[in-house]
Amino acid sequence: MRIGIVCPYTWDVPGGVQVHIRDLTEALMEEGHHVSVIAPAADNAPLPPYVTSAGRAVPVPFNGSVARLSFGFLSANRVRRWVREGAFDVLHVHEPAIPSLGLLACWVARGPIVATFHASYGNSRSLSVTASVLMSALEKITGRIAVSDAARKTLVEFMGGDAVLIPNGVTVGRYAEGEPLPGWDQGEVIGFLGRMDEPRKGLPVLLEAFVLLAAERPALRLLLAGPGDAAEVLERIPAALHDRIGLLGMVSEEDKVRAYHTVDVFCAPNLGGESFGIVLTEAMSAGAAILASDIPAFRKVLDDGQAGALFETGNATSLARRAAELLDDPVRRATLSQEARAAVQKYDWSTVARDVLRVYETVASPAGVEEDAEDAEGAGNDEGTVASRSLAEGNDTL
């Protein structure tokens, strides 16, 4: 099967959707399918051979984060050419309700189109305002996938219809084994992986909890990985504790695996805006003892606390208390590790990719995917401008 996959976010800035698309693509290719991905990317960005660049993306505040999206005439023309030349049996767009490549692809193509919805929003003026504008594109979708109950709920409430529930996948074997990072084999280590400058990732809560714990635990250290301003992080911590903070910055895939195998407790202190929790499934695959905020998405992935401990979201005291309990109880940590490794198996791409492929097979038709010349004329024009402007203006309620 020839499959075209559309990534809405810039490929060269790490994120959960990009990782999802990368791993799905590679799992499908291992099964013998031809897969091509189009994504926003900087002109000089190193791309795998299966990725086509649609041009640079621009940062847009979105859902408590900063989404780097691609829209306009250049992107529309590149998507149109990619669709025309791809001769795909199925087109798979991700996050088609935001003004980026997924939406453009729906406008310029017709035929078997599958859409995956990743995000969840408690209340979004932007989606409400742009719903009618988006409908001409979204009504072309013939198969819908939601990665979580929260994402499915958002789809139903703001756009109508329903979706097959297929969770995010993880390549379990990639994280199963790893050597700890050098210099971190002494004392106690709590780890964090994520964008440090995004409030919804909850790092300030973890930093506050670390200060509470550090006074009574002189051997405790904090290992932080991910993009962000190191100086801003250290400003939140008393100077006397700076030498107990490890700031790795952006890490390679190999070092990320090693980081999961370095920590005694892996902490995910996210405040919300998560529909699944890819970072949790990676940590689970590594057998880390996990401590996570009790947001619904994390509670579900961790089997309501069976595969990882939970603390009250946003409460540094609760986080500190639960972290201390885990650090003091190696048997409990070992049990959580074992439960995590068992629970994560259902998210392995060997299972998830087959479920996605069944959706493709359901909507596939002999004609395959074709360029829609009539709708393509408007792609990147007035409708896209309205959607993009509404997204930015409605940011305060995302």
Side-chain angles (χ1 to χ4, degrees), residues 188-374:
E188 304 167 326
V189 182
I190 296 176
F192 168 92
L193 174 67
R195 292 188 289 273
M196 296 188 290
D197 53 357
E198 287 193 13
R200 71 184 177 98
K201 298 302 181 182
L203 180 58
V205 180
L206 174 57
L207 295 177
E208 184 180 346
F210 175 73
V211 173
L212 295 175
L213 289 164
E216 299 179 356
R217 311 184 80 94
L220 179 65
R221 291 191 289 170
L222 191 59
L223 180 63
L224 308 177
D229 190 323
E232 290 184 3
V233 172
L234 293 176
E235 284 177 0
R236 295 178 175 271
I237 299 291
L241 299 178
H242 286 185
D243 62 350
R244 293 164 65 178
I245 307 290
L247 291 157
L248 301 181
M250 291 285 293
V251 292
S252 65
E253 192 70 19
E254 179 183 358
D255 282 344
K256 180 168 69 169
V257 174
R258 298 182 72 182
Y260 286 132
H261 286 273
T262 297
V263 302
D264 296 292
V265 174
F266 178 79
C267 185
N270 306 50
L271 302 179
E274 308 289 344
S275 67
F276 182 73
I278 290 177
V279 69
L280 290 189
T281 56
E282 291 177 353
M284 292 165 72
S285 300
I290 296 170
L291 175 60
S293 54
D294 62 354
I295 60 176
F298 287 2
R299 183 177 285 277
K300 183 175 179 63
V301 171
L302 294 174
D303 289 343
D304 206 30
Q306 184 73 19
L310 300 166
F311 70 92
E312 182 183 344
T313 301
N315 188 327
T317 302
S318 174
L319 194 166
R321 182 171 60 252
R322 297 307 303 274
E325 291 171 358
L326 289 177
L327 291 169
D328 289 336
D329 192 344
V331 174
R332 172 65 173 155
R333 296 201 307 273
T335 299
L336 288 177
S337 173
Q338 184 178 6
E339 293 286 349
R341 288 185 184 273
V344 79
Q345 293 301 319
K346 61 178 173 286
Y347 299 116
D348 188 74
W349 275 115
S350 62
T351 298
V352 175
R354 285 197 296 268
D355 292 340
V356 173
L357 191 59
R358 290 190 190 99
V359 177
Y360 295 166
E361 293 168 345
T362 299
V363 303
S365 66
V369 178
E370 301 174 314
E371 181 186 5
D372 190 334
E374 182 178 349

Side-chain angles (χ1 to χ4, degrees), residues 65-131:
S65 179
V66 176
R68 291 166 176 82
L69 312 176
S70 184
F71 214 88
F73 289 111
L74 174 63
S75 297
N77 287 334
R78 291 188 178 183
V79 171
R80 184 186 299 116
R81 183 171 64 248
W82 175 78
V83 168
R84 185 170 58 245
E85 296 175 354
F88 302 122
D89 297 302
V90 172
L91 186 65
H92 187 176
V93 302
H94 290 255
E95 298 289 39
I98 63 173
S100 192
L101 300 188
L103 180 59
L104 288 175
C106 288
W107 266 323
V108 306
R110 64 184 178 188
I113 300 177
V114 173
T116 290
F117 297 84
H118 295 261
S120 64
Y121 323 106
N123 177 34
S124 176
R125 187 175 71 220
S126 297
L127 289 182
S128 300
V129 168
T130 61

